[in-house]
Amino acid sequence: MRQTLNNTSVATTPASLAAPGYDRSALTAGIVHFGVGGFHRAHQAMYLDRLMDTGQAHDWAICGVGVLPGDARMKEVMDRQDCLYTLVVKNPDGTREGRVIGSIIEYLFAPDDPEAVIEKMASEAIRIVSLTVTEGGYNFHHVTGDFNAENPDVLHDLQPGAAPRTTFGLVTEALSRRRERGQQPFTVMSCDNIQGNGDVARKMFTAFATLKDTELGAWVADHVPFPNSMVDRITPVTTDADREAVAAEFGVEDAWPVVCEPFEQWVLEDHFSLGRPPFEDAGVQLVDDVEPYELMKLRLLNASHQGMCYFGYLAGYRYANEVCQDPLFTQFLLDYMDKEATPTLQPVPGIDLHEYKHTLIERFSNEHIRDTLARLCAESSDRIPKWLLPVIRINLKQGGEIHRSAAIVASWARYDEGVDEQGNPIEVVDRLKEPLMAAAARQRGEPLAFIANREIFGDLIDNQSFVTAYTQILNDLHSRGARAALESLKSGS
């Protein structure tokens, strides 16, 4: 018999589904988290659940917050399921491990009641405000890195007395109230895939606060910690098949389970204003400087995702594991990592880079994860400038190789033409979809149309070495297709 997952049914789950071994009614929230998607629930919330199961961190439970209209669905699910959900780890050998995660105890939907969200963060119990709001959620210009003060929602939030619509407005108002009440500020902890994510968060939140109130901006800059972090766990979008599998295997109806790979990593700078959970007891690596680790991850894992997704999709593949079981694609990714990405990295203490890179291929090849290429291809204008373009710029400066990196950019440009090599339509998902697709539509006659967008590519169009490498592969993609283009890179022709 199937039961809806909630506080009542969780007590009768089968032995094959691990459940919280702690009293959730005794938990109190110490963290407010913006962006309760699949990754957060497979990562930060999982680490806290692990701590709680050992009798620790019971005053560090999570209050989730949704800001975007699409988050209303998560609010419905969380309310119906008492914030419980199933996390299913899919191992490469086909075995599955399920666990009900209980570390989230409340979920607020900011558009319904922004005041409740603000007061929650302003309460003394909240000591960390964490974020997984995606790369685009930080509202910065991709070339200058400056805060976009012309964003309509930002302009709204800057009006006196306005009910905040943005994460910036909500968090800053809560910090303002804590300042007025003589309370210490909470730590703002970014868990997004951005180089220097804490530094970016500091710059953006301080910029907003300064626009709101100059003195408040100075106080945020001087008193609010923004630790950097590196996070890693492949977490595909939940499908109806995943929901049905959870129901069939464990006997629970979970409207929004999460599936993930067994690998997990979290490297975090130990800079907090009001304490933190004992993350190290759950497997988190606490460091003084996270930059070497995040550069490793962004330029090897994340950029390799971009290296496989456009080429793979154009060639007819639809899942990451399909691409990484093809020797041609695997060799391309390893060559990119070895010859172009690795030379741009700093030494990474405690990490064997050779082993790390081959582990990435093994992770990408996990057929049970079924990570879609469409997911990896989405929001490229937010991803490519942060993950891949720095590799190109550094290698151009150092005289290193750029052909594979330029090929990835070219494959993105070809993908944004909106049709694959079999003539099937491609649904491009990107906040800049219209201008990108318009440029891609012109590039058979204007080969540089796509990279002429200086908002994304800066001055790369002015570099002849890059232009030559880019146009050669783009021509191959148009005339011979993705596989032939990769063959040319392998042969050096």
Side-chain angles (χ1 to χ4, degrees):
M1 179 178 176
R2 298 178 178 181
Q3 304 180 76
T4 298
L5 181 61
N6 55 36
N7 281 337
T8 301
S9 65
V10 74
T12 59
T13 55
S16 58
L17 180 62
Y22 49 90
D23 180 4
R24 293 184 74 233
S25 68
L27 301 180
T28 56
I31 299 172
V32 166
H33 182 82
F34 286 81
V36 183
F39 181 77
H40 167 71
R41 294 187 294 146
H43 197 263
Q44 181 183 338
M46 177 278 301
Y47 279 105
L48 284 163
D49 176 83
R50 183 181 290 170
L51 282 174
M52 291 169 180
D53 225 36
T54 66
Q56 303 183 80
H58 287 191
D59 59 344
W60 287 102
I62 299 167
C63 170
V65 174
V67 174
L68 303 176
D71 294 330
R73 172 61 176 156
M74 183 61 76
K75 170 67 172 173
E76 295 172 6
V77 172
M78 286 292 190
D79 285 352
R80 185 166 68 249
Q81 297 183 183
D82 297 320
C83 295
L84 294 167
Y85 62 92
T86 312
L87 180 65
V88 179
V89 176
K90 294 185 174 182
N91 295 303
D93 63 2
T95 59
R96 297 154 56 90
E97 302 167 49
R99 176 172 178 82
V100 176
I101 303 296
S103 55
I104 303 175
I105 60 171
E106 185 178 6
Y107 189 94
L108 301 176
F109 184 53
D112 283 350
D113 192 349
E115 181 64 20
V117 175
I118 293 166
E119 275 301 309
K120 187 71 178 182
M121 290 185 286
S123 67
E124 292 191 355
I126 300 302
R127 288 152 286 167
I128 295 174
V129 170
S130 54
L131 311 164
T132 47
V133 293
T134 77
E135 299 84 356
Y138 291 84
N139 189 51
F140 59 85
H141 190 284
H142 292 297
V143 175
T144 67
D146 293 333
F147 185 73
N148 176 17
E150 301 305 313
N151 179 307
D153 287 331
V154 168
L155 290 173
H156 169 273
D157 284 6
L158 289 173
Q159 296 302 309
R165 295 176 183 171
T166 68
T167 303
F168 299 105
L170 293 162
V171 172
T172 300
E173 178 59 26
L175 286 169
S176 177
R177 294 185 189 184
R178 292 179 76 114
R179 175 173 171 253
E180 291 170 358
R181 296 169 187 176
Q183 300 168 209
Q184 284 188 268
F186 45 70
T187 296
V188 177
M189 181 175 71
S190 171
C191 297
D192 280 296
N193 282 323
I194 304 173
Q195 181 181 343
N197 54 14
D199 295 335
V200 171
R202 175 187 290 107
K203 183 175 180 179
M204 299 307 119
F205 279 95
T206 301
F208 179 90
T210 301
L211 290 169
K212 190 79 173 175
D213 179 325
T214 303
E215 291 185 3
L216 175 63
W219 183 81
V220 170
D222 290 341
H223 295 93
V224 179
F226 292 85
N228 290 303
S229 69
M230 184 271 266
V231 296
D232 191 5
R233 191 171 215 182
I234 296 173
T235 310
V237 173
T238 301
T239 66
D240 288 338
D242 293 321
R243 294 180 179 88
E244 179 55 34
V246 168
E249 185 171 352
F250 304 120
V252 296
E253 296 282 356
D254 186 342
W256 212 327
V258 184
V259 298
C260 63
E261 64 170 337
F263 183 90
E264 62 188 55
Q265 189 173 24
W266 189 4
V267 184
L268 177 63
E269 289 178 352
D270 199 0
H271 308 312
F272 293 82
S273 55
L274 294 170
R276 58 167 175 79
F279 285 128
E280 62 272 25
D281 292 346
V284 180
Q285 186 175 357
L286 279 300
V287 300
D288 291 328
D289 181 9
V290 80
E291 184 178 20
Y293 302 90
E294 65 186 2
L295 290 177
M296 173 189 74
K297 194 253 181 174
L298 296 174
R299 296 177 184 177
L300 296 179
L301 185 149
N302 293 117
S304 290
H305 269 159
Q306 309 314 118
M308 77 169 74
C309 65
Y310 315 112
F311 277 115
Y313 202 100
L314 291 168
Y317 291 129
R318 292 297 178 263
Y319 294 94
N321 62 283
E322 296 173 337
V323 175
C324 286
Q325 290 167 6
D326 184 323
L328 176 63
F329 286 82
T330 298
Q331 190 59 54
F332 170 71
L333 294 178
L334 286 171
D335 285 345
Y336 158 74
M337 289 190 279
D338 287 341
K339 298 178 181 180
E340 299 190 21
T342 300
T344 73
L345 300 180
Q346 305 170 12
V348 190
I351 300 292
D352 181 328
L353 285 180
H354 177 80
E355 179 181 351
Y356 180 84
K357 287 180 279 193
H358 284 269
T359 298
L360 288 181
I361 299 299
E362 293 174 7
R363 293 168 61 193
F364 297 159
S365 302
N366 185 339
E367 62 185 278
H368 303 284
I369 292 296
R370 293 184 69 77
D371 198 6
T372 66
L373 296 184
R375 181 186 81 87
L376 302 180
C377 289
E379 306 300 345
S380 303
S381 65
D382 286 331
R383 297 174 171 183
I384 290 283
K386 303 177 187 67
W387 301 345
L388 183 70
L389 298 191
V391 172
I392 295 173
R393 291 193 172 94
I394 292 172
N395 281 324
L396 285 172
K397 183 177 181 179
Q398 296 178 349
E401 296 186 32
I402 62 162
H403 289 81
R404 299 163 194 85
S405 301
I408 296 171
V409 176
S411 69
W412 173 28
R414 170 64 184 85
Y415 176 89
D416 273 13
E417 291 178 12
V419 60
D420 69 14
E421 293 171 7
Q422 293 74 42
N424 300 311
I426 293 173
E427 177 58 37
V428 174
V429 177
D430 198 290
R431 65 184 181 84
L432 299 180
K433 173 181 177 178
E434 292 184 5
L436 288 171
M437 292 191 73
R442 303 194 311 272
Q443 64 191 358
R444 290 180 186 262
E446 303 174 40
L448 303 185
F450 196 79
I451 60 170
N453 187 332
R454 292 180 183 269
E455 294 291 304
I456 296 174
F457 297 103
D459 61 357
L460 283 178
I461 194 173
D462 302 323
N463 186 286
Q464 191 57 51
S465 295
F466 173 76
V467 167
T468 299
Y470 169 82
T471 53
Q472 179 178 339
I473 293 297
L474 186 62
N475 181 63
D476 278 348
L477 287 166
H478 284 150
S479 61
R480 300 193 295 158
R483 295 193 68 87
L486 292 179
E487 287 284 1
S488 72
L489 287 166
K490 184 176 70 171
S491 64
S493 62

